[in-house]
Amino acid sequence: MPYSLAIFDLDGTLANSFPWFLRTINDVADRFGFRRVADEDVEGLRHASSREILSRLEVPLWKLPAIARHARRLKAEAAAEIALFPGVEVMLRRLAESGVQLALVTSDSEANAREKLGEAAALFAHFDCAASLFGKPSKFRRVMRRAGVEPGKVISVGDEVRDIEAARAVGIACGAVGWGYAAPAALRALAPDHMFERMDEIVWTLCPGAVARMSEATSGNAGG
């Protein structure tokens, strides 16, 4: 199915921030008084939902806003060491050139998001950033209203269980990437509409017509 609007998550989907997260999480844990993450805990947490992660780490819910603000400050300081995944800019450009509106929904600040995206930030028509009491579903609804696109023409692309849950809550398609925070098996267990193992698969799925035209052009050039 062709999509008119693609809503992307940032961390773990477009930006390779998981190594930074692993280096930082225990300093945050010490500061805010929740359980530290041991090396042997990491894989189990990658299979858990957001609620399960908070429960396992014994994070008090009332501390979440302060933790989120602190994490945004740390990300801003570490922006230079958090790079985009290989192929992100090419993928986003091909989608935009094919007429797909691009939106970014993240709990990070818009300033941090734009710095991570670099020149690719200009390809996005819509940003909905910062933490929200109502979570991603409310952000998805706002972006769809701004874009003027019906749910049936919208897909969310993310790397966590909560991304799939949020997409289903608002009636849009969900695509899950296998290179982010959550383990691929945990994402497949929820049967997302699309499971992406490589960056170029996003273009093939969202813009099959564009890929076909590119193939025809390549074949024509080869024949000439």
Side-chain angles (χ1 to χ4, degrees):
M1 169 188 291
Y3 297 100
S4 301
L5 173 65
I7 305 175
F8 283 92
D9 172 59
L10 179 61
D11 288 302
T13 302
L14 302 178
N16 186 14
S17 60
F18 193 51
W20 168 85
F21 170 81
L22 292 178
R23 291 193 301 272
T24 307
I25 184 61
N26 285 334
D27 290 338
V28 178
D30 292 343
R31 181 184 180 97
F32 290 96
F34 59 87
R35 193 166 70 80
R36 291 170 65 90
V37 177
D39 290 346
E40 59 268 24
D41 296 332
V42 173
E43 191 58 27
L45 292 174
R46 294 186 71 221
H47 286 265
S49 68
S50 298
R51 295 180 191 86
E52 289 170 337
I53 291 170
L54 294 176
S55 176
R56 292 185 195 183
L57 298 184
E58 301 171 6
V59 180
L61 294 180
W62 64 271
K63 289 188 178 181
L64 284 179
I67 293 171
R69 285 194 298 272
H70 182 63
R72 284 196 293 274
R73 285 195 297 272
L74 293 179
K75 278 184 186 173
E77 294 168 3
E81 57 186 280
I82 300 176
L84 298 180
F85 286 105
V88 162
E89 294 177 71
V90 171
M91 178 271 293
L92 293 174
R93 193 168 301 282
R94 286 183 178 170
L95 293 181
E97 289 172 349
S98 298
V100 178
Q101 290 191 65
L102 302 182
L104 190 80
V105 166
T106 175
S107 59
D108 205 348
S109 69
E110 184 170 337
N112 282 0
R114 286 183 177 277
E115 185 163 3
K116 288 179 193 172
L117 289 168
E119 293 182 0
L123 299 171
F124 284 84
H126 309 281
F127 286 81
D128 201 316
C129 304
S132 168
L133 288 175
F134 303 101
K136 281 197 168 181
S138 64
K139 292 185 173 188
F140 287 172
R141 292 188 184 98
R142 280 198 299 268
V143 166
M144 286 191 288
R145 282 197 300 271
R146 292 176 198 152
V149 179
E150 294 298 316
K153 293 288 187 179
V154 182
I155 183 170
S156 160
V157 182
D159 69 302
E160 296 185 76
V161 166
R162 62 177 175 159
D163 296 318
I164 297 174
E165 293 172 341
R168 289 187 170 147
V170 300
I172 64 177
C174 51
V177 304
W179 52 78
Y181 280 63
L187 299 170
R188 287 193 196 94
L190 295 178
D193 296 287
H194 306 284
M195 187 77 201
F196 303 117
E197 303 295 345
R198 299 197 315 273
M199 197 66 65
D200 55 4
E201 291 176 355
I202 298 176
V203 179
W204 300 349
T205 300
L206 273 59
C207 302
V211 174
R213 288 193 296 275
M214 288 168 55
S215 298
E216 289 171 4
T218 302
S219 298
N221 291 338

